[in-house]
């Protein structure tokens, strides 16, 4: 298959995946299409890790180091508001984070590498489910990813709105925040709105807590360490003349430093206890969906930077940014980087809508750029590590 035909096919596949999004751990149709594509290339894809995950392996001509290249596959519970021809056919879910694009870019790299396998080494192509809140990477690891598919390094790539289309970006060290999601239940005593003195008002206590939570970052966190505490939902009551018995808050805490994240987690519990006593109510704080800080290791990130700069040597694409600012968004690829050194990189999506927005769409013009990045990274990394091993 020539490269133009490959990109035409990949774009059509991307549109198909976008029109048929599947939520975390429900990516059955998506996995079917991934396996069909890989099988036609001569791979023997393995299914079943984290329910819907797919792994395909390519062996080089001779033994050498092994790496994982990872793409996420799941969509989000967001209702799409777009007018393009491949709009989601399923109300209430869409590919609002570009995982359809991530999937086809890695498939394209698998196609090119299968045409001419690397001289040395092994490449595991990992198509991961459940990134969006399901910690699918952790599930795959717990179910034996690194045991069944040994690798010395892992690599991920995510599109990034706001970066110029096709720009490649990376940084050494923390690039994405670790985070916890929280739910706070406030239990008080209800009363008629005309008799507030008979209540223990959970709405008032909750409002005071929301205000007080801002000091966790503003006054109790080192300003040189990026962190955020956000309350995103506040539910209470069912009518306008009754003070309810309880209220519920939910949100997230995030930080680029593991110790800061754990301290915020503990301090929120302490703060809620104090505000509960002041308001005469009970508050319980429950945490769920922890994601670790995504930390790029120095050695593989240096190699990624070299590949990015080399890719810009003879093209008109925007120059690579090898010190891109980190983000306080979270990414479960951090679980893989806790197990193996590696690098999480970005590819610009141009001036598109933001990730998770109902009018977001992946930029098809960067598919080929992403495919080339994956192909060159795999070849270059395996060649570099093989030479290192021969010298040592």
């Amino acid at each position: 298959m020539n490269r133009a035909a490959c990109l035409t096919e990949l774009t059509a596949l991307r549109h198909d995946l976008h029109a048929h999004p599947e939520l975390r751990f429900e990516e059955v149709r998506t996995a079917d299409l991934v396996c069909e594509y890989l099988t036609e290339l001569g791979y023997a894809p393995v299914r079943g890790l984290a329910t819907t995950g797919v792994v395909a392996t390519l062996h080089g001509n001779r033994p050498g180091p092994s790496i994982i290249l990872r793409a996420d596959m799941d969509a989000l519970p967001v209702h799409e508001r777009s007018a393009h021809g491949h709009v989601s056919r399923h109300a209430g879910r869409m590919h609002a984070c570009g995982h359809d694009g991530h999937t086809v870019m890695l498939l394209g790299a698998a196609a090119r590498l299968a045409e001419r396998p690397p001289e040395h080494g092994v490449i595991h192509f990992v198509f991961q489910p459940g990134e969006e809140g399901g910690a699918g990477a952790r599930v795959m690891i717990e179910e034996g990813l690194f045991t069944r598919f040994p690798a010395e390094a892992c690599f991920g790539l995510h599109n990034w709105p706001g970066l110029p289309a096709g720009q490649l970006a990376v940084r050494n060290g923390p690039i994405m925040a670790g985070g916890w999601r929280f739910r706070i239940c406030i239990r008080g005593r209800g009363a008629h709105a005309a008799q507030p003195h008979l209540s223990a008002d959970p709405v008032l206590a909750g409002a005071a807590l929301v205000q007080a939570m801002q000091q966790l970052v503003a006054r109790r966190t080192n300003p040189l360490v990026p962190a955020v505490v956000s309350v995103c939902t506040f539910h209470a009551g069912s009518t306008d003349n009754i003070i309810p018995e309880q209220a519920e808050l939910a949100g997230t805490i995030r930080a680029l430093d593991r110790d800061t994240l754990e301290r915020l987690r503990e301090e929120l519990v302490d703060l809620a206890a104090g505000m509960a006593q002041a308001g005469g109510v009970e508050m319980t704080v429950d945490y769920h969906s922890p994601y670790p800080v995504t930390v790029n290791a120095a050695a593989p990130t240096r190699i990624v930077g070299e590949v990015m700069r080399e890719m810009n040597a003879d093209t008109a694409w925007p120059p690579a940014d090898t010190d891109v600012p980190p983000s306080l968004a979270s990414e479960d690829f951090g679980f893989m980087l806790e197990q193996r050194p590696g690098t999480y990189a970005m590819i610009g999506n141009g001036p598109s809508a933001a990730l998770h927005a109902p009018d977001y769409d992946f930029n098809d013009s960067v598919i080929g750029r992403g495919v080339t990045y994956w192909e060159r990274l795999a070849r270059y990394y395996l060649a570099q590590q093989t030479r290192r091993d021969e010298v040592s």
Side-chain angles (χ1 to χ4, degrees), residues 67-69 146 151-156 333 336-337 340-344:
I67 60 171
I68 280 176
L69 308 183
F146 290 110
E152 70 173 44
C154 304
F155 298 92
F333 189 66
M336 292 193 181
L337 295 183
R340 299 291 186 276
T343 304
Y344 180 85

Side-chain angles (χ1 to χ4, degrees), residues 10 20 40 58 93 137 148 165 168 170 174 181-182 203 243 245 279 292 300 302 334 354-355 369 371 387:
L10 290 173
H20 301 90
E40 290 177 357
L58 177 67
R93 64 181 194 259
R148 297 177 63 182
L168 296 167
V170 73
R181 299 186 185 189
F182 62 79
V203 177
I243 295 172
E245 292 184 351
R302 183 181 64 254
L355 298 176
R369 178 79 163 160
V371 170
R387 283 194 288 270

Side-chain angles (χ1 to χ4, degrees), residues 29-86:
R29 182 181 184 277
T30 302
D32 287 343
L33 291 175
V34 167
C35 286
E36 179 182 340
Y37 191 96
L38 291 168
T39 301
E40 290 177 357
L41 295 172
Y43 290 94
V46 176
R47 304 183 67 162
L49 285 178
T51 306
T52 48
V54 177
V55 183
T57 299
L58 177 67
H59 292 272
N61 297 321
R62 288 185 281 180
S66 299
I67 60 171
I68 280 176
L69 308 183
R70 170 268 203 178
D72 36 18
M73 301 189 297
D74 55 322
L76 280 156
V78 174
H79 187 76
E80 185 163 13
R81 294 200 307 261
S82 300
H84 52 67
H86 50 277

Side-chain angles (χ1 to χ4, degrees), residues 99-188:
H99 296 183
D100 49 346
H102 301 168
T103 298
V104 301
M105 288 191 296
L106 190 55
L107 286 173
R112 290 190 188 174
L113 287 160
E115 289 178 355
R116 185 171 62 88
E119 189 62 28
H120 295 269
V122 179
I123 305 169
H124 302 297
F125 302 91
V126 175
F127 297 87
Q128 179 209 304
E131 190 280 324
E132 298 290 358
R138 182 180 65 187
V139 178
M140 292 190 84
I141 292 166
E142 291 172 347
E143 294 184 2
L145 176 65
F146 290 110
T147 302
R148 297 177 63 182
F149 306 96
E152 70 173 44
C154 304
F155 298 92
L157 180 67
H158 202 293
N159 82 95
W160 209 253
L163 289 181
Q167 182 181 47
L168 296 167
V170 73
R171 69 177 287 109
N172 184 40
I175 189 169
M176 301 283 277
W180 286 86
R181 299 186 185 189
F182 62 79
R183 183 177 296 107
I184 303 175
C185 184
I186 307 171
R187 296 178 180 84

Side-chain angles (χ1 to χ4, degrees), residues 157 168 304 308 311 345 369-377:
L157 180 67
L168 296 167
V304 165
M308 290 180 173
M311 285 180 62
R369 178 79 163 160
V371 170
T372 299
Y373 167 78
W374 276 133
E375 179 191 11
R376 294 195 184 182
L377 172 62

Side-chain angles (χ1 to χ4, degrees), residues 353-373:
L355 298 176
H356 294 206
D359 55 343
Y360 164 87
D361 192 25
F362 184 86
N363 188 336
D364 290 329
S365 73
V366 308
I367 291 176
R369 178 79 163 160
V371 170
T372 299
Y373 167 78

Side-chain angles (χ1 to χ4, degrees), residues 206-239:
L209 177 61
V210 171
Q211 293 288 326
M213 285 167 65
Q214 304 313 304
Q215 70 179 287
L216 294 177
V217 172
R219 289 295 179 270
R220 299 172 72 172
T221 299
N222 184 340
L224 298 179
V225 178
V228 67
V229 176
S230 293
V231 177
C232 301
T233 68
F234 191 146
H235 297 292
S238 58
T239 186

Side-chain angles (χ1 to χ4, degrees), residues 189-201 239-244:
R189 184 172 61 254
H192 195 282
Q195 298 175 308
H197 60 291
L198 301 179
S199 74
D201 190 346
T239 186
D240 60 4
N241 67 344
I242 298 292
I243 295 172

